[in-house]
Amino acid sequence: MIQLVLDDTHVKKHLFPFTLTRSCADIRVGILTIRQKWELLLGVKVRVNGDEYLEPPHSDTQPVVFAGNIIPGKAFVDDLLKGHYPQEDFLQQSSIRILQQPWHIFEYNDWALREDFALITAGRQSQPIPASVSTIAPANIFIEEGAKLQHCILNAAAGPIYIGRNAEIMEGASIRGPFALCEGAAVKMGARIYGATTIGPYSLVGGEIKNSVIFGYSNKAHDGYLGDAVIGEWCNLGAGTTNSNIKNTASNVKIWSEGEKKFITAGLKCGLLMGDYSRCSINTSFNTGTVVGACANIFGGGLLPKYIPSFSWGAQQPVKYVFEKALEDITNWKKLKNQLLSEKEIQQLQHIFERN
């Protein structure tokens, strides 16, 4: 049996802002986080550097160490279980992806959704599709127990659609795969969602979304466009919020890299990359390739700066969020989803605040 340790020591800073508050291994891409993929494929718990709750392995087996930003595919792990450790460069492996930049999360989401869908649904029976739901390629749709959906359109011809446990798709929503709606999440009436998109656990979405990943417990509940974007946990996008994902010149988008302390090229399309606990007011317009740190409270007219640091209060001429006020606001948002702010989260946020 393989004992696996995921180490993100050397790559974590390049996946800012999402690794401010989590290991690379706990980034969600596809349906599952990277850690969850490894655990499901291996059938054992996986240790991540920095974990405090997992005891070191008690056997004499030397653990295998992989970088925490490696997204495993089934074929790759099958080879590992047969003892075939890859000899060539990891970048040449077709059955994995490697997160090296934050925009890779949405770039690799199509591949990861298909991998996760096949893994999660293998040998299982979907719940029946309600008669009022209009479908294309229904064999590519999987519905978990407790999910609610009526009078919506699901087109899985271009990729699979996964509806998680106790999730809800309200009437009038139109969805094209590949798409995942994770446990307890909801799509509001009339939403238009294009693949490849993941809506994380207990998130709420509406309006128009394309090729985006929204982590757990976040809201984009109203009209407005979100495209080629990644939104962290406990974020809220005010009504009418829209991001640009391509420049008017159709030239390369540059985004702020915290690891390199400069703007770097992200390709032709990149929308909004927003860290955990950040929020914006109604009708916010995000510039192409905007990076937002953790716990920013964003408001102000016009196109916003392309980089908004953690704990910003405002955007055009921001001041620093008062720490106690920030905790109070996060606590209020968490109460809306019946959650509490933990002591560990407070310590983590204080560390970010003091370093910012």
Side-chain angles (χ1 to χ4, degrees), residues 133-151:
V133 175
S134 177
T135 64
I136 301 174
N140 293 335
I141 298 170
F142 192 93
I143 303 172
E144 296 280 9
E145 186 178 350
K148 296 185 293 184
L149 56 163
Q150 294 286 347
H151 298 285

mmCIF file of all heavy atoms in Angstrom, residues 133-151:
data_model
loop_
_atom_site.group_PDB
_atom_site.id
_atom_site.type_symbol
_atom_site.label_atom_id
_atom_site.label_comp_id
_atom_site.label_asym_id
_atom_site.label_seq_id
_atom_site.Cartn_x
_atom_site.Cartn_y
_atom_site.Cartn_z
ATOM 1 N N VAL A 133 -37.488 17.968 -16.545
ATOM 2 C CA VAL A 133 -36.166 18.458 -16.924
ATOM 3 C C VAL A 133 -35.883 18.096 -18.374
ATOM 4 O O VAL A 133 -35.998 16.933 -18.777
ATOM 5 C CB VAL A 133 -35.075 17.870 -16.002
ATOM 6 C CG1 VAL A 133 -33.686 18.288 -16.476
ATOM 7 C CG2 VAL A 133 -35.305 18.313 -14.559
ATOM 8 N N SER A 134 -35.520 19.100 -19.178
ATOM 9 C CA SER A 134 -35.169 18.877 -20.577
ATOM 10 C C SER A 134 -33.684 18.529 -20.663
ATOM 11 O O SER A 134 -32.845 19.264 -20.129
ATOM 12 C CB SER A 134 -35.456 20.139 -21.390
ATOM 13 O OG SER A 134 -35.069 19.980 -22.735
ATOM 14 N N THR A 135 -33.349 17.418 -21.311
ATOM 15 C CA THR A 135 -31.961 16.963 -21.337
ATOM 16 C C THR A 135 -31.483 16.664 -22.751
ATOM 17 O O THR A 135 -32.266 16.311 -23.632
ATOM 18 C CB THR A 135 -31.768 15.689 -20.489
ATOM 19 O OG1 THR A 135 -32.521 14.625 -21.076
ATOM 20 C CG2 THR A 135 -32.189 15.910 -19.062
ATOM 21 N N ILE A 136 -30.182 16.809 -22.938
ATOM 22 C CA ILE A 136 -29.475 16.322 -24.124
ATOM 23 C C ILE A 136 -28.347 15.436 -23.612
ATOM 24 O O ILE A 136 -27.617 15.810 -22.686
ATOM 25 C CB ILE A 136 -28.915 17.485 -24.961
ATOM 26 C CG1 ILE A 136 -30.036 18.409 -25.416
ATOM 27 C CG2 ILE A 136 -28.121 16.963 -26.154
ATOM 28 C CD1 ILE A 136 -29.555 19.664 -26.124
ATOM 29 N N ALA A 137 -28.227 14.245 -24.150
ATOM 30 C CA ALA A 137 -27.245 13.240 -23.713
ATOM 31 C C ALA A 137 -27.421 12.899 -22.229
ATOM 32 O O ALA A 137 -26.498 13.041 -21.427
ATOM 33 C CB ALA A 137 -25.817 13.712 -23.979
ATOM 34 N N PRO A 138 -28.613 12.420 -21.843
ATOM 35 C CA PRO A 138 -28.889 12.142 -20.422
ATOM 36 C C PRO A 138 -27.987 11.070 -19.824
ATOM 37 O O PRO A 138 -27.821 11.025 -18.600
ATOM 38 C CB PRO A 138 -30.351 11.704 -20.419
ATOM 39 C CG PRO A 138 -30.634 11.273 -21.820
ATOM 40 C CD PRO A 138 -29.794 12.148 -22.683
ATOM 41 N N ALA A 139 -27.385 10.223 -20.644
ATOM 42 C CA ALA A 139 -26.473 9.205 -20.113
ATOM 43 C C ALA A 139 -25.249 9.834 -19.465
ATOM 44 O O ALA A 139 -24.567 9.189 -18.661
ATOM 45 C CB ALA A 139 -26.044 8.257 -21.234
ATOM 46 N N ASN A 140 -24.951 11.104 -19.794
ATOM 47 C CA ASN A 140 -23.808 11.812 -19.224
ATOM 48 C C ASN A 140 -24.180 12.674 -18.024
ATOM 49 O O ASN A 140 -23.413 13.557 -17.629
ATOM 50 C CB ASN A 140 -23.152 12.708 -20.284
ATOM 51 C CG ASN A 140 -22.513 11.903 -21.385
ATOM 52 O OD1 ASN A 140 -22.136 10.752 -21.189
ATOM 53 N ND2 ASN A 140 -22.388 12.498 -22.560
ATOM 54 N N ILE A 141 -25.368 12.431 -17.467
ATOM 55 C CA ILE A 141 -25.838 13.205 -16.311
ATOM 56 C C ILE A 141 -25.936 12.277 -15.103
ATOM 57 O O ILE A 141 -26.504 11.183 -15.198
ATOM 58 C CB ILE A 141 -27.215 13.844 -16.603
ATOM 59 C CG1 ILE A 141 -27.110 14.822 -17.780
ATOM 60 C CG2 ILE A 141 -27.763 14.544 -15.364
ATOM 61 C CD1 ILE A 141 -28.449 15.322 -18.291
ATOM 62 N N PHE A 142 -25.392 12.710 -13.978
ATOM 63 C CA PHE A 142 -25.466 11.922 -12.745
ATOM 64 C C PHE A 142 -26.000 12.806 -11.630
ATOM 65 O O PHE A 142 -25.480 13.897 -11.373
ATOM 66 C CB PHE A 142 -24.103 11.366 -12.348
ATOM 67 C CG PHE A 142 -24.182 10.320 -11.267
ATOM 68 C CD1 PHE A 142 -24.254 8.972 -11.589
ATOM 69 C CD2 PHE A 142 -24.212 10.679 -9.918
ATOM 70 C CE1 PHE A 142 -24.339 7.997 -10.606
ATOM 71 C CE2 PHE A 142 -24.300 9.723 -8.927
ATOM 72 C CZ PHE A 142 -24.361 8.374 -9.272
ATOM 73 N N ILE A 143 -27.050 12.299 -10.955
ATOM 74 C CA ILE A 143 -27.721 13.051 -9.894
ATOM 75 C C ILE A 143 -27.607 12.272 -8.589
ATOM 76 O O ILE A 143 -28.016 11.109 -8.509
ATOM 77 C CB ILE A 143 -29.208 13.291 -10.249
ATOM 78 C CG1 ILE A 143 -29.326 14.032 -11.589
ATOM 79 C CG2 ILE A 143 -29.891 14.070 -9.143
ATOM 80 C CD1 ILE A 143 -30.751 14.145 -12.100
ATOM 81 N N GLU A 144 -27.080 12.917 -7.568
ATOM 82 C CA GLU A 144 -26.940 12.283 -6.261
ATOM 83 C C GLU A 144 -28.255 12.358 -5.472
ATOM 84 O O GLU A 144 -29.155 13.149 -5.780
ATOM 85 C CB GLU A 144 -25.829 12.955 -5.451
ATOM 86 C CG GLU A 144 -24.434 12.837 -6.044
ATOM 87 C CD GLU A 144 -23.774 11.495 -5.775
ATOM 88 O OE1 GLU A 144 -24.449 10.571 -5.262
ATOM 89 O OE2 GLU A 144 -22.572 11.368 -6.102
ATOM 90 N N GLU A 145 -28.332 11.555 -4.439
ATOM 91 C CA GLU A 145 -29.516 11.506 -3.582
ATOM 92 C C GLU A 145 -29.785 12.860 -2.938
ATOM 93 O O GLU A 145 -28.863 13.552 -2.499
ATOM 94 C CB GLU A 145 -29.308 10.455 -2.487
ATOM 95 C CG GLU A 145 -30.525 10.215 -1.618
ATOM 96 C CD GLU A 145 -30.284 9.123 -0.590
ATOM 97 O OE1 GLU A 145 -29.243 8.436 -0.695
ATOM 98 O OE2 GLU A 145 -31.124 8.967 0.301
ATOM 99 N N GLY A 146 -31.048 13.244 -2.907
ATOM 100 C CA GLY A 146 -31.453 14.488 -2.250
ATOM 101 C C GLY A 146 -31.401 15.713 -3.131
ATOM 102 O O GLY A 146 -31.852 16.788 -2.721
ATOM 103 N N ALA A 147 -30.856 15.601 -4.344
ATOM 104 C CA ALA A 147 -30.800 16.750 -5.255
ATOM 105 C C ALA A 147 -32.203 17.102 -5.737
ATOM 106 O O ALA A 147 -33.052 16.225 -5.923
ATOM 107 C CB ALA A 147 -29.885 16.446 -6.431
ATOM 108 N N LYS A 148 -32.448 18.401 -5.949
ATOM 109 C CA LYS A 148 -33.754 18.880 -6.402
ATOM 110 C C LYS A 148 -33.571 19.653 -7.705
ATOM 111 O O LYS A 148 -32.766 20.592 -7.771
ATOM 112 C CB LYS A 148 -34.379 19.789 -5.350
ATOM 113 C CG LYS A 148 -34.691 19.095 -4.037
ATOM 114 C CD LYS A 148 -35.427 20.022 -3.072
ATOM 115 C CE LYS A 148 -34.555 21.165 -2.621
ATOM 116 N NZ LYS A 148 -35.234 22.027 -1.614
ATOM 117 N N LEU A 149 -34.325 19.284 -8.732
ATOM 118 C CA LEU A 149 -34.289 20.014 -9.990
ATOM 119 C C LEU A 149 -35.586 19.781 -10.742
ATOM 120 O O LEU A 149 -36.099 18.664 -10.791
ATOM 121 C CB LEU A 149 -33.089 19.618 -10.837
ATOM 122 C CG LEU A 149 -32.837 18.163 -11.237
ATOM 123 C CD1 LEU A 149 -31.838 18.108 -12.398
ATOM 124 C CD2 LEU A 149 -32.287 17.342 -10.091
ATOM 125 N N GLN A 150 -36.124 20.875 -11.267
ATOM 126 C CA GLN A 150 -37.359 20.828 -12.044
ATOM 127 C C GLN A 150 -37.309 21.906 -13.112
ATOM 128 O O GLN A 150 -36.775 23.003 -12.896
ATOM 129 C CB GLN A 150 -38.586 21.073 -11.144
ATOM 130 C CG GLN A 150 -38.855 19.998 -10.108
ATOM 131 C CD GLN A 150 -39.431 18.725 -10.698
ATOM 132 O OE1 GLN A 150 -39.862 18.714 -11.852
ATOM 133 N NE2 GLN A 150 -39.438 17.654 -9.915
ATOM 134 N N HIS A 151 -37.869 21.594 -14.311
ATOM 135 C CA HIS A 151 -38.075 22.591 -15.372
ATOM 136 C C HIS A 151 -36.803 23.377 -15.705
ATOM 137 O O HIS A 151 -36.823 24.593 -15.876
ATOM 138 C CB HIS A 151 -39.207 23.551 -14.988
ATOM 139 C CG HIS A 151 -40.528 22.872 -14.822
ATOM 140 N ND1 HIS A 151 -41.297 22.444 -15.885
ATOM 141 C CD2 HIS A 151 -41.189 22.500 -13.682
ATOM 142 C CE1 HIS A 151 -42.391 21.867 -15.424
ATOM 143 N NE2 HIS A 151 -42.350 21.874 -14.098
#
